[in-house]
Amino acid sequence: MSASLAPECNEVKERYDTCFLKWYSEKYLRGTAMSDECEPLFKEYKACLGKALKERGIDTMLDEARADMKENDVEHMKPS
Amino acid sequence: MRFFSSQHEFEYSWDEVTTCNWRKYCPWNDKSTHVIAVDTISRSLDPKTHILRTERLITCKQAAPALMKKFLGSEDVSHVFEVSYVDLRAKKVTMFSQNLTWSNLISVQEKVVYRPSRIIGCTTFEQSAKIIALCGGWQKVKNTIEEYTVERFRQNAVKGREGFERVLAISREAFAEQREQSRRAQSA
């Protein structure tokens, strides 16, 4: 797995990534995923990462980029 | 403004390619060493469409040549924001990315699509990018920045493809080994 930009989050990130990859290949791709089962781990990882992003001032850059790319959601979230 | 595009056929199934895509920059990729971190920012599964939407932050470390340092400063760590959509029913992964760092000087927008190829068991990769220098001033300066950026983008794209081929090969081996182990465990 890849590292986190915040070394203090590496351990929880590794656990989350492993969970997600297993879920993606064994459930999501087979069409049997009802929900994202790794969400509890993701919350833990997100709490750690959120702090690091704020400290580095990346959170505001992300908000701007997210707003710029919002229009892609319209096309790519609609049912095919 | 500069454009870049490339296409490639991976000799792996869409399932394999899109699974490995999540760890394209893991240590098995010994080419894209400029990518030092990949963090997931948000992830959601639409229960109706089964479309999986993911936001990631990609952190790179790549020294710029002296000429570019004049424009970009001495900072060599940069961030890219990526939003991806996995549409399982359409068998299509679409990824958009945009630079966060130096965004007042230059805009680099990339789109990547992974689809099953017409060749059975293969996956088509299509990549396109638009690079625009935003800074005011001489056209010559803008041209220099755009030329440099598109060239670096091209080099990183080649490294990315080679590195990803390696990740795919090692993953397939690891998976086969795992299956063999569980088969043995069952028959024992």
Side-chain angles (χ1 to χ4, degrees), chain A residues 28 70-80, chain B residues 44-53 84-92 94 96 111:
Chain A
Y28 178 74
K70 192 85 196 125
E71 62 199 56
N72 292 328
D73 280 350
V74 180
E75 193 191 331
H76 294 275
M77 290 303 284
K78 68 178 182 211
S80 48
Chain B
S44 57
L45 174 67
D46 187 314
K48 283 200 197 104
T49 60
H50 272 80
I51 293 171
L52 180 68
R53 182 186 185 278
S84 64
Y85 307 87
V86 184
D87 189 338
L88 187 63
R89 287 179 194 159
K91 288 248 176 205
K92 187 178 172 193
T94 314
F96 295 94
K111 182 184 177 186

Side-chain angles (χ1 to χ4, degrees), chain B residues 149-162:
Chain B
T149 309
V150 78
E151 180 52 24
R152 174 156 281 190
F153 194 94
R154 194 189 61 77
Q155 290 166 4
N156 286 342
V158 171
K159 286 185 200 167
R161 196 185 63 220
E162 290 173 357

